[in-house]
Amino acid sequence: MTLTVWLSSSLRRTAPGYDPANGMAVEAAPGASVADICQAIGVDPSAVKIVMVDGRARSMDHRLEGHERVALFPPVGGG
């Protein structure tokens, strides 16, 4: 199954050649979790604070069905 993965902020540095305008296409087995996808693309799951799948907040254990858009966000500070 193919997914589109979007990386935000500092997570972009973990994927060489990442294109922020288009995200990245990732092939995965049906039923793979978000954590599985993170590991497949070289992102430490503990570095991800927020997971969005097709615009909805999900957990790292969320199972994917294919053709979803997965957005990963690190913790952000500021003020």
Side-chain angles (χ1 to χ4, degrees), residues 7 9 13 16 34 36 38 41 43 46 63 65 75 78:
L7 302 175
S9 187
R13 287 178 267 178
V34 173
D36 294 336
C38 287
I41 63 172
V43 172
S46 68
R63 298 289 172 182
E65 299 173 7

Side-chain angles (χ1 to χ4, degrees), residues 10-76:
S10 60
L11 296 177
R12 292 176 179 172
R13 287 178 267 178
T14 63
Y18 177 75
D19 179 4
N22 296 307
M24 63 191 303
V26 176
E27 290 293 325
S33 69
V34 173
D36 294 336
I37 300 305
C38 287
Q39 291 174 351
I41 63 172
V43 172
D44 180 357
S46 68
V48 177
K49 179 68 173 172
I50 298 171
V51 174
M52 302 291 286
V53 176
D54 289 338
R56 294 180 183 227
R58 300 291 186 211
S59 71
M60 292 300 267
D61 295 330
H62 179 76
R63 298 289 172 182
L64 300 162
E65 299 173 7
H67 305 292
E68 290 104 332
R69 293 168 298 164
V70 179
L72 305 173
F73 300 87
V76 179

